[in-house]
Amino acid sequence: MTLTNHIHLDDIAKEYALDGSLLFLLFSHHSYSFALMQEDQKLFFYASHKVLKTSSIEEAYKEWKAFFSLNKTLQSAFKKQIILFDTACETLVPEELYNENDNREMLDFLHPLPNDYTVLEQDLPEYKAKSLYAVPQNILEKLKSDFPQPQFFSASASFLQSTIHLYKDVLKGKKVFVSFNEKRMHLLCFEDNNLLLSNSYAFENEDAVCYQILDVMRQFGMDSMKDMLYLSGGIDEDSAVYKKTAKYVKNIHFMNRPDTVKYSAFFDEIPHQYYFLILSKSL
């Protein structure tokens, strides 16, 4: 994903009133991203993304905090703060198997959790399920100190909800949707509106991505020459991941950001699939 330069924030603040605006913020192990929106006009007017030299949620917060502290523009009172976590410690639990008292034990069985991690949950009424995900407790406490009423969400669960909302009319047949965020990807597989798979993967190179996509398509009896693959996030036609995958999957489309909100001229040169995770959280 092409990085956005932060230095224009003060100039942007002169044109767009920040009072009462919304902050959308995404933390992952390899980067952080954010977007700013005027809620009354449903207008996104800025977004930015930064890649980290190290890989941890703690480092992502540290880098964000340093930037946040130096920019008076960002220290204005946002009406809402919507914060997403792209974490490896997550899973979906059907409602019939859900027990709040077992949250940590269930997630720890799948992803051994450090003692200082807190388990959060997100409702997925579309599939009668809960998303469980874990975040360092000290990061939650710091964000609650930074902002008056931050709202926390799982990036993978939010990607699932946004995909269902925006692409419900095209979910007939078998389709795969992928969201890229540096060295992690969220992958969804549907057949006739039924969710077959929702999973997240870490990867090091384009070969690993291509293998994972083809393996999922093979697992569910898909035809890589005919069935559709939708891509979003930090990927475009010039990326190594796209070029590699396009050799084996012929029906590739980029996902579009929501058209129910408006975008400033700042977004004119940004591909529509970029920032999909946080922009679609406005729905």
Side-chain angles (χ1 to χ4, degrees), residues 29-276:
H29 291 270
H30 304 284
S31 64
Y32 73 79
S33 305
F34 71 92
L36 306 177
M37 177 186 185
Q38 287 184 327
E39 186 178 35
D40 57 343
Q41 298 187 37
K42 295 189 178 298
L43 172 71
F44 275 108
F45 58 92
Y46 187 78
S48 187
H49 175 81
K50 182 174 183 180
V51 180
L52 308 178
K53 295 181 180 179
T54 56
S55 57
S56 71
I57 294 289
E58 292 90 338
E59 186 64 23
Y61 172 79
K62 181 180 177 182
E63 291 278 346
W64 155 259
K65 182 65 175 180
F67 173 65
F68 179 83
S69 300
L70 291 174
N71 283 267
K72 293 181 179 180
T73 298
L74 282 181
Q75 295 177 39
S76 300
F78 295 105
K79 182 178 180 180
K80 295 179 183 177
Q81 310 87 37
I82 295 91
I83 302 174
L84 288 76
F85 292 100
D86 184 356
T87 171
C89 303
E90 59 182 353
T91 192
L92 294 183
V93 181
E95 286 183 350
E96 61 267 24
L97 299 179
Y98 174 77
N99 184 328
E100 183 177 1
N101 296 325
D102 296 336
N103 281 358
R104 187 175 187 88
E105 181 179 354
M106 182 176 295
L107 193 55
D108 189 53
F109 176 77
L110 298 171
H111 308 279
L113 300 178
N115 292 332
D116 61 342
Y117 271 50
T118 294
V119 177
L120 303 177
E121 65 180 58
Q122 182 173 333
D123 289 329
L124 291 169
E126 301 91 342
Y127 287 99
K128 297 181 179 179
K130 299 274 189 179
S131 169
L132 302 182
Y133 62 104
V135 180
Q137 176 61 31
N138 67 318
I139 299 301
L140 295 176
E141 292 174 353
K142 289 176 180 178
L143 287 167
K144 290 177 180 177
S145 176
D146 292 338
F147 303 114
Q149 292 182 315
Q151 301 175 38
F152 300 128
F153 298 93
S154 158
S156 63
S158 298
F159 177 55
L160 172 58
Q161 289 181 311
S162 297
T163 300
I164 295 169
H165 184 93
L166 291 171
Y167 287 86
K168 59 184 177 182
D169 294 332
V170 301
L171 291 180
K172 295 181 180 179
K174 295 179 180 179
K175 294 179 175 62
V176 173
F177 295 80
V178 185
S179 172
F180 291 96
N181 187 14
E182 297 307 325
K183 295 183 179 181
R184 281 180 58 76
M185 65 178 184
H186 305 294
L187 191 151
L188 307 172
C189 185
F190 294 90
E191 181 176 13
D192 295 333
N193 290 294
N194 296 311
L195 179 65
L196 302 178
L197 177 71
S198 173
N199 212 342
S200 299
Y201 307 90
F203 65 88
E204 291 297 327
N205 53 48
E206 62 271 19
D207 291 333
V209 173
C210 186
Y211 171 82
Q212 193 62 65
I213 291 173
L214 290 174
D215 186 57
V216 168
M217 298 184 86
R218 177 198 58 78
Q219 180 182 348
F220 293 103
M222 299 179 69
D223 186 340
S224 63
M225 295 294 105
K226 295 180 180 179
D227 291 317
M228 293 184 181
L229 170 64
Y230 291 84
L231 306 178
S232 67
I235 186 170
D236 54 40
E237 291 182 347
D238 293 326
S239 69
V241 167
Y242 180 90
K243 291 179 179 178
K244 182 72 174 185
T245 304
K247 291 181 179 180
Y248 303 95
V249 182
K250 298 305 178 184
N251 205 349
I252 300 178
H253 303 266
F254 289 116
M255 300 177 74
N256 289 318
R257 59 198 180 210
D259 60 7
T260 53
V261 295
K262 296 179 290 185
Y263 302 90
S264 71
F266 174 85
F267 288 88
D268 288 350
E269 302 302 320
I270 298 176
H272 283 210
Q273 69 272 17
Y274 280 23
Y275 298 107
F276 180 86

